[in-house]
Amino acid sequence: MTSGAGFLSAFSPNYVALMALRFLVGIGLGGGPVLGSWFLEFVPAPSRGTWMVVLSAFWTVGTIFEASLAWVVMPKFGWRWLLALSSVPSLLLLLFYAITPESPRFLCMKGRTMEAVDVLEKMARLNGAQLPSGKLVSDKNIELDEVSESATLLAATAKAAKEEENDNIKEDEGSDFGGFKSVSKLLSPKLLRATLLLWMAFFGNAFSYYGIVLLTSELSNGNRICAKQEVESVHSNNSSLYKNVFISSFAEIPGSFVSIMIVDRIGRRLSMASMLFTSCVFLFPLVFSRTEILTRISLFGARLCISASFTIVYIYAPEIYPTSVRTTGIGVASSVGRIGGILCPLVAVALVHNCHQTTAILLFELVVFLSGVAVMFFPFETKGCRLNDTEADMH
């Protein structure tokens, strides 16, 4: 959907068609949280944070690539070529679909233990290792140890495993129409506090991240507009805009390195909180002065910290949920974050355009600060902890 609608949008005959096709692109991109949850379920706990950051770093690579593409393509060929070329990477991903393994945890939760064993055996062969002896048992009330840490697989007879597999498959068929059951579990007593705080963190991170990206160009434009008081005569230089976005995107590279260094050392909560509060420190000087150099340095530092925090919250989110609702949990949280991304240009950037730059900066400061406070109240730390498969597994 992402690649198809993205490519067709390059041929949009009018604005309405363009918006409709970009809406479909957004729906396709909404499946992104599945990737993080899927990858998480293959990585051993001791190095889970580091490898999740490595995965997230390719978001930065994509951002820089897209900014470079816009810088080269837009001035000469226009937006249609940019949209068409931007759809190619998503299309190329489909080439890997046939060799992509399903998550063994998901297969076990669905009672498909034989398929799970096949995936685990392939993983063992590729890593030059051997699976522990015994039979893999799928039971929603039994805690499944992560493969990297378990000394033995739970033993059972093949007959019992097969009967349980059939029972679980029947139980899962049609049991969660439209995902409403999974969504309701997110608000269960064990998950309610974590879910609400996670929504706050996602909202704040998305609002601040996209806001800082927009402020890279909007704040300097707003300063020129307000200084001249002649909105009609001021036009942003497109080449300069792409250059600024390209340069500011590089702030996410050190942000990724910072995430790698701290996420498995000081934990998820402290890492996120420290990055969010440090972002407040970077933004604070802009309340009093917005010279070109100060603005560039402050926004670079703030984007570094926010990108690091955003990366870590995408690690923490799937870790706090059991396998049964993991992708649903991170998907709903990501949707709440998208609301923050939608409101950001409508509120904060509008303030800049209306010459209320100080108010806009203070708004970002407040949102980032409250996000940091929400993170500090997360109910538990997940550093080094094994993943849970059901709510009954949670302590």
Side-chain angles (χ1 to χ4, degrees):
M1 182 176 290
T2 301
S3 59
F7 182 76
L8 291 176
S9 62
F11 301 93
S12 301
N14 52 55
Y15 184 73
V16 174
L18 176 64
M19 289 297 98
L21 288 167
R22 299 314 292 179
F23 181 82
L24 292 178
V25 171
I27 293 177
L29 291 174
V34 177
L35 177 59
S37 298
W38 170 82
F39 182 72
L40 181 81
E41 294 175 3
F42 283 94
V43 183
S47 56
R48 195 165 57 219
T50 298
W51 279 105
M52 287 296 290
V53 173
V54 172
L55 174 68
S56 300
F58 283 88
W59 170 278
T60 302
V61 174
T63 301
I64 295 173
F65 175 80
E66 186 67 17
S68 305
L69 191 64
W71 194 0
V72 173
V73 173
M74 282 289 287
K76 295 182 179 180
F77 303 103
W79 61 270
R80 293 184 185 273
W81 274 96
L82 179 64
L83 293 184
L85 293 173
S86 298
S87 68
V88 173
S90 296
L91 180 62
L92 294 178
L93 283 177
L94 294 176
L95 300 178
F96 297 92
Y97 179 78
I99 62 173
T100 303
E102 183 56 90
S103 164
R105 286 182 173 273
F106 169 80
L107 293 173
C108 283
M109 286 303 303
K110 294 299 181 181
R112 295 154 60 181
T113 53
M114 299 302 293
E115 295 177 59
V117 170
D118 289 340
V119 175
L120 294 174
E121 289 177 343
K122 183 177 181 180
M123 291 170 62
R125 287 196 304 270
L126 291 174
N127 287 280
Q130 289 185 345
L131 289 178
S133 60
K135 297 289 184 179
L136 182 66
V137 175
S138 174
D139 192 331
K140 294 183 180 181
N141 295 321
I142 295 178
E143 298 178 351
L144 295 176
D145 291 335
E146 290 187 349
V147 176
S148 62
E149 299 177 344
S150 60
T152 182
L153 291 175
L154 299 171
T157 64
K159 181 179 178 181
K162 188 63 177 178
E163 290 176 353
E164 182 179 10
E165 181 174 345
N166 292 335
D167 291 342
N168 283 333
I169 291 175
K170 291 179 181 178
E171 179 183 338
D172 286 323
E173 289 179 349
S175 61
D176 188 12
F177 178 74
F180 293 113
K181 183 178 179 181
S182 296
V183 173
S184 65
K185 286 182 180 179
L186 301 179
L187 301 177
S188 64
K190 282 190 176 182
L191 296 175
L192 179 61
R193 178 183 171 187
T195 295
L196 295 180
L197 290 173
L198 191 66
W199 289 354
M200 290 181 62
F202 263 87
F203 181 92
N205 272 281
F207 187 94
S208 305
Y209 174 84
Y210 292 111
I212 290 171
V213 172
L214 290 170
L215 285 180
T216 301
S217 58
E218 296 295 340
L219 195 58
S220 59
N221 288 342
N223 286 336
R224 293 198 302 270
I225 291 172
C226 295
K228 294 186 177 183
Q229 293 296 320
E230 296 177 1
V231 177
E232 296 81 359
S233 65
V234 178
H235 301 281
S236 62
N237 185 302
N238 285 336
S239 179
S240 176
L241 170 62
Y242 305 136
K243 180 180 178 181
N244 288 337
V245 173
F246 177 80
I247 293 174
S248 65
S249 296
F250 275 93
E252 298 186 21
I253 295 179
S256 296
F257 282 112
V258 171
S259 300
I260 290 175
M261 289 188 293
I262 66 177
V263 68
D264 279 326
R265 288 181 172 84
I266 66 176
R268 281 47 161 164
R269 288 188 300 183
L270 187 56
S271 296
M272 282 186 283
S274 61
M275 289 295 97
L276 288 167
F277 292 138
T278 304
S279 182
C280 284
V281 174
F282 275 112
L283 288 174
F284 190 69
L286 297 180
V287 175
F288 306 100
S289 176
R290 287 174 292 278
T291 62
E292 183 177 353
I293 296 298
L294 180 61
T295 299
R296 186 171 299 172
I297 294 174
S298 295
L299 292 181
F300 186 94
R303 182 164 180 177
L304 184 157
C305 295
I306 287 295
S307 66
S309 174
F310 218 167
T311 297
I312 298 169
V313 77
Y314 265 104
I315 298 172
Y316 184 79
E319 288 180 329
I320 65 174
Y321 288 120
T323 303
S324 56
V325 293
R326 181 169 293 122
T327 300
T328 302
I330 189 175
V332 174
S334 179
S335 298
V336 174
R338 300 298 181 189
I339 296 175
I342 292 171
L343 293 178
C344 173
L346 297 178
V347 178
V349 177
L351 290 173
V352 174
H353 282 178
N354 291 319
C355 300
H356 299 297
Q357 291 95 327
T358 301
T359 304
I361 298 299
L362 289 174
L363 176 61
F364 280 111
E365 288 272 35
L366 178 62
V367 172
V368 174
F369 180 79
L370 292 179
S371 299
V373 172
V375 166
M376 294 299 294
F377 283 96
F378 276 140
F380 43 81
E381 175 59 60
T382 59
K383 182 187 73 170
C385 296
R386 61 188 178 84
L387 299 177
N388 297 306
D389 287 311
T390 66
E391 288 182 79
D393 297 339
M394 301 180 65
H395 302 291

